[in-house]
Amino acid sequence: MTAELSPVDMAKYVAAKRAAEFVEPGMRLGLGTGSTAAWLVKILGEKVRGEGLQITGVPTSSRTAALAREQGVPIATLEELKWLDLTIDGADEFDPKLNLIKGGGGALLQEKIVAAASDRMVVITDTSKEVETLGAFPLPVEVIPFGWETTRALIEETLGTVDVDGRDVVLRMAGDAPFVTDEGNRILDLHLKRIGDPRQLSLALNQIPGVVENGLFIDICDAVVIGHGDGMVELRDIQAGTVVQEQVEAEDHENLFTDIAD
Ligand code: 5RP
């Protein structure tokens, strides 16, 4: 079954599998959103069902909540648990300081709240997300629907005052209608090409009325697990200052490899 995985799916799978080893019995766990995080939820589901692993997950989207329920991973809300031991999530880009762009799946708001409420955040990814400088991936910004065109104009004005190379701001669509987040908001994708100062940009964006949150995760991620198509993973821990490479064995669980999420 594993032989049917594309190199990208294999990379995502082995990253998730290695990161699942950080999960200890009794942990309160932030469950990310996206295709890489979906692998994690499936792997955790197997451990819960097969090994009796006891964990409680806080999903970062309605999609992840549905998958966790389907896989038998017990879930709770952040209001119930208040603080988490670990969050494992994907990313759209990460730089050498492990600053991130997230929100490609539109779940950046819950993802950021959950990651910020965790002792530790680990990102799982394939090699394509690594960049020297953030910004090639359009930066998602969640805005409330009320007056969103005014908010967009204010964002465009702000982009003229910060160190970026592009200024196109595009309303995210889902078919013919605007994409709607789990909180009922809209997403504006900022095509910036290069973000010279992510911290300054994040602060500037979040000061604009109508902006709920932006997809820059600054000083939130502690470690990244980078999967490769041949099963190799690289673990970079920014806190410990360590880089380790390991080979991960893909297992032949039919359950896991059917219906690849997202
Ligand atoms: C969702 C996210 C995802 O983590 C990000 O888009 C990466 O997704 P994938 O693992 O499918 O590449 O931020 O809002």
Side-chain angles (χ1 to χ4, degrees):
M1 266 312 208
T2 54
E4 292 172 22
L5 289 185
S6 69
V8 171
D9 280 323
M10 177 61 86
K12 292 177 178 185
Y13 163 70
V14 291
K17 185 165 186 241
R18 180 60 186 83
E21 291 176 24
F22 296 132
V23 177
E24 294 170 14
M27 269 191 168
R28 297 157 301 174
L29 202 63
L31 302 173
T33 295
S35 56
T36 322
W39 281 118
L40 177 82
V41 175
K42 287 183 158 201
I43 291 164
L44 291 175
E46 284 229 327
K47 285 178 184 261
V48 167
R49 297 190 309 271
E51 301 166 21
L53 175 68
Q54 294 201 338
I55 49 169
T56 309
V58 172
T60 51
S61 63
S62 49
R63 261 176 297 158
T64 298
L67 182 63
R69 277 191 208 100
E70 181 195 298
Q71 296 294 319
V73 176
I75 56 172
T77 64
L78 190 57
E79 297 87 274
E80 287 165 332
L81 298 193
K82 296 185 181 62
W83 197 261
L84 308 178
D85 300 291
L86 172 67
T87 284
I88 304 176
D89 199 350
D92 298 301
E93 279 187 355
F94 67 96
D95 74 6
K97 293 180 180 164
L98 303 194
N99 291 324
L100 317 172
I101 288 182
K102 284 186 53 56
L108 67 100
L109 180 56
Q110 290 187 27
E111 289 173 336
K112 205 170 194 173
I113 293 171
V114 166
S118 303
D119 286 341
R120 194 167 152 76
M121 182 199 193
V122 173
V123 158
I124 47 179
T125 177
D126 61 273
T127 54
S128 69
K129 313 291 182 66
E130 180 169 16
V131 296
E132 201 50 44
T133 305
L134 298 176
F137 190 91
L139 175 66
V141 177
E142 183 156 344
V143 300
I144 65 165
F146 178 84
W148 72 268
E149 295 199 47
T150 307
T151 305
R152 174 165 70 180
L154 289 171
I155 290 173
E156 283 165 348
E157 200 178 298
T158 298
L159 293 179
T161 69
V162 294
D163 183 13
V164 293
D165 281 354
R167 291 189 200 165
D168 283 348
V169 179
V170 178
L171 177 68
R172 189 178 299 183
M173 302 296 285
D176 291 339
F179 175 87
V180 179
T181 69
D182 276 348
E183 280 69 35
N185 295 319
R186 306 286 183 265
I187 297 278
L188 296 174
D189 288 308
L190 279 47
H191 294 251
L192 307 175
K193 298 181 183 160
R194 182 191 62 85
I195 301 172
D197 187 340
R199 188 183 306 275
Q200 177 206 36
L201 176 62
S202 179
L203 289 172
L205 288 171
N206 283 9
Q207 281 180 348
I208 297 170
V211 168
V212 182
E213 191 49 87
N214 71 80
L216 285 165
F217 284 47
I218 313 290
D219 293 339
I220 293 178
C221 175
D222 298 288
V224 62
V225 182
I226 308 162
H228 293 246
D230 62 359
M232 205 271 281
V233 293
E234 184 171 315
L235 287 83
R236 290 187 208 161
D237 189 318
I238 197 104
Q239 302 297 342
T242 54
V243 179
V244 177
Q245 294 185 346
E246 295 173 8
Q247 191 69 29
V248 171
E249 290 308 317
E251 287 162 36
D252 230 5
H253 293 308
E254 188 156 350
N255 250 356
L256 214 52
F257 296 109
T258 52
D259 188 26
I260 299 165
D262 276 24

